[in-house]
Amino acid sequence: MPTQRQAEILRLLVDSYIDSANPVSSGELVYSNDLGVSSATVRHELAELSEEGLLFRPHKSSGVVPTEQGYRYYVESLLHNVDLPLNQKDMIRHQFHQVELDEDRWIRLAASILSRRLESLAVVTPVYHKDVRVKNVDIVKISEYRAMLVQILEGGRVQRALIQLPGGIVWSNLKEFVDILSTRYSGKTYSEIEIAYRGLSDPAQKQILESSINLLKQAREQYDGEPFVYGFTEVLNQPEFYVGGELIHDLLEAVEKGMLVEALHPIDMSFGELRVVIGHEHSETFLHPYGVVLTTYGNTSDSHGTVAVIGPTRMSYANAIPSVRFMADVLDELTMELL
């Protein structure tokens, strides 16, 4: 267990290495910080921390860098009550106020903001509902024989389907039917709506209800599907991954094959839990070069999405942890507005 002085030196060293990506020497630490001790004393403390497995020297004549164990100690013992400044929170909230009440837009924006803020890969998934339910249904006339069915689900996802209408319909009657449908089946699942479908005889009404049911079925299959992923350029600009791009190849492949979210194991997390996973703590080898900060958002353990950032193990955890936590809070609030 590091002494108080060693812990402070370790914190300063990790912060310095996160900023520079270059091994840190005892002289640099003394020069840059008011430690009140000599370079020789700091060198001795660095040797002690190295013996404890918290630091290592990449080259014999170089400074030292944190090990994965060193980052773990830094995250668990040296970061206390990290939070975003109020002005940064206000800036993020303002960006969300400029978009429509549409879950796809929110999660796209959330991933974009996180990737830019943290210079990391950001992954945000839609809210996954075990029971996908309707919130509102509307229909918009396009022409005499065509209309657009617009369906909003609990959680905010917007669905649209183009409908070819039979001839001879009375539009006002059809609109009235959709309004009744929206009121009567708000909060219902597709299996509950299917019962009503069997009792209909009007072709246009049957077509509308069938489209609504099909959209719900698609949503049930897709909610745990495609995440929004932003920031590959940001990751490639990091020194660890710039040369040759070999380390990032496996990560790209995992995203293309739809394996990334599953590899983060969000399904194992309790609702609202924030998790930091570093290097070889990951079960999947393609994630070993990375540090990950992730949490969930939504409203219950049965209805939630995932927010995560992926960067080098040298990522700024002091920024990533409060950024991911606050983004989940914002998405929580937005999701609740649509319930």
Side-chain angles (χ1 to χ4, degrees):
M1 177 69 68
T3 64
Q4 184 175 349
R5 183 165 68 186
Q6 287 173 348
E8 177 62 12
I9 290 172
L10 178 62
R11 183 185 67 80
L12 293 171
L13 185 142
V14 173
D15 288 342
S16 177
Y17 184 65
I18 286 171
D19 288 340
S20 69
N22 292 315
V24 183
S25 69
S26 58
E28 290 175 75
L29 286 172
V30 171
Y31 178 79
S32 302
N33 304 279
D34 184 18
L35 295 175
V37 294
S38 67
S39 179
T41 299
V42 173
R43 191 159 50 248
H44 172 75
E45 300 289 28
L46 294 179
E48 292 281 335
L49 290 167
S50 298
E51 287 184 11
E52 292 187 37
L54 302 176
L55 302 174
F56 79 99
R57 195 178 298 276
H59 308 288
K60 194 170 183 180
S61 59
S62 73
V64 293
V65 301
T67 62
E68 291 177 5
Q69 184 180 343
Y71 286 122
R72 172 55 58 196
Y73 184 84
Y74 173 84
V75 167
E76 292 188 352
S77 302
L78 304 180
L79 293 181
H80 302 294
N81 301 319
V82 288
D83 199 3
L84 292 181
L86 183 59
N87 66 323
Q88 293 185 28
K89 290 183 177 181
D90 290 342
M91 188 183 304
I92 291 172
R93 287 188 189 278
H94 178 70
Q95 293 178 74
F96 279 93
H97 289 157
Q98 295 178 318
V99 301
E100 298 175 10
L101 296 180
D102 184 331
E103 186 192 22
D104 282 354
R105 290 175 181 267
W106 293 342
I107 59 181
R108 211 180 264 119
L109 178 60
S112 176
I113 291 172
L114 286 174
S115 68
R116 292 197 307 269
R117 281 186 55 83
L118 302 170
E119 298 182 338
S120 299
L121 192 71
V123 182
V124 184
T125 70
V127 171
Y128 170 69
H129 302 274
K130 288 186 176 179
D131 292 314
V132 180
R133 298 176 184 274
V134 173
K135 180 178 176 64
N136 185 62
V137 184
D138 199 1
I139 193 167
V140 179
K141 186 176 182 179
I142 297 175
S143 67
E144 186 178 355
Y145 299 107
R146 300 175 75 199
M148 179 71 72
L149 186 71
V150 181
Q151 185 162 270
I152 301 176
L153 307 182
E154 288 188 351
R157 176 165 288 233
V158 179
Q159 300 179 297
R160 298 174 180 88
L162 192 64
I163 298 175
Q164 195 74 24
L165 298 171
I169 66 164
V170 178
W171 177 256
S172 59
N173 292 343
L174 195 64
K175 184 68 169 69
E176 182 181 2
F177 169 75
V178 173
D179 291 342
I180 293 171
L181 174 70
S182 181
T183 301
R184 182 176 297 171
Y185 296 110
S186 179
K188 303 296 185 182
T189 66
Y190 73 83
S191 59
E192 293 171 308
I193 299 174
E194 277 182 323
I195 298 171
Y197 174 78
R198 301 188 195 111
L200 290 176
S201 57
D202 183 277
Q205 292 181 1
K206 289 191 72 171
Q207 193 168 354
I208 289 170
L209 204 55
E210 183 177 16
S211 294
S212 173
I213 291 168
N214 287 337
L215 288 173
L216 284 169
K217 287 180 177 179
Q218 291 172 19
R220 180 64 182 85
E221 295 169 358
Q222 294 172 357
Y223 258 115
D224 57 343
E226 293 298 319
F228 286 86
V229 182
Y230 279 78
F232 274 110
T233 301
E234 304 287 356
V235 176
L236 282 170
N237 285 336
Q238 298 292 338
E240 291 90 339
F241 309 117
Y242 183 75
V243 180
E246 294 179 4
L247 286 175
I248 206 167
H249 175 269
D250 291 342
L251 182 62
L252 279 165
E253 187 176 33
V255 172
E256 289 176 356
K257 292 182 177 179
M259 299 164 48
L260 178 57
V261 174
E262 184 179 354
L264 300 176
H265 300 291
I267 197 170
D268 299 334
M269 298 176 66
S270 58
F271 181 69
E273 175 188 355
L274 186 140
R275 182 181 293 175
V276 179
V277 191
I278 302 169
H280 286 73
E281 295 172 356
H282 292 286
S283 59
E284 300 292 338
T285 55
F286 74 83
L287 285 171
H288 286 176
Y290 303 95
V292 174
V293 178
L294 72 157
T295 190
T296 59
Y297 75 95
N299 51 76
T300 70
S301 58
D302 292 333
S303 177
H304 65 268
T306 302
V307 181
V309 291
I310 303 171
T313 54
R314 182 185 53 84
M315 74 188 303
S316 176
Y317 298 101
N319 290 325
I321 289 171
S323 295
V324 168
R325 182 186 291 119
F326 180 70
M327 190 61 71
D329 289 344
V330 171
L331 293 175
D332 277 342
E333 294 168 8
L334 291 170
T335 301
M336 290 300 295
E337 286 182 21
L338 291 175
L339 293 179

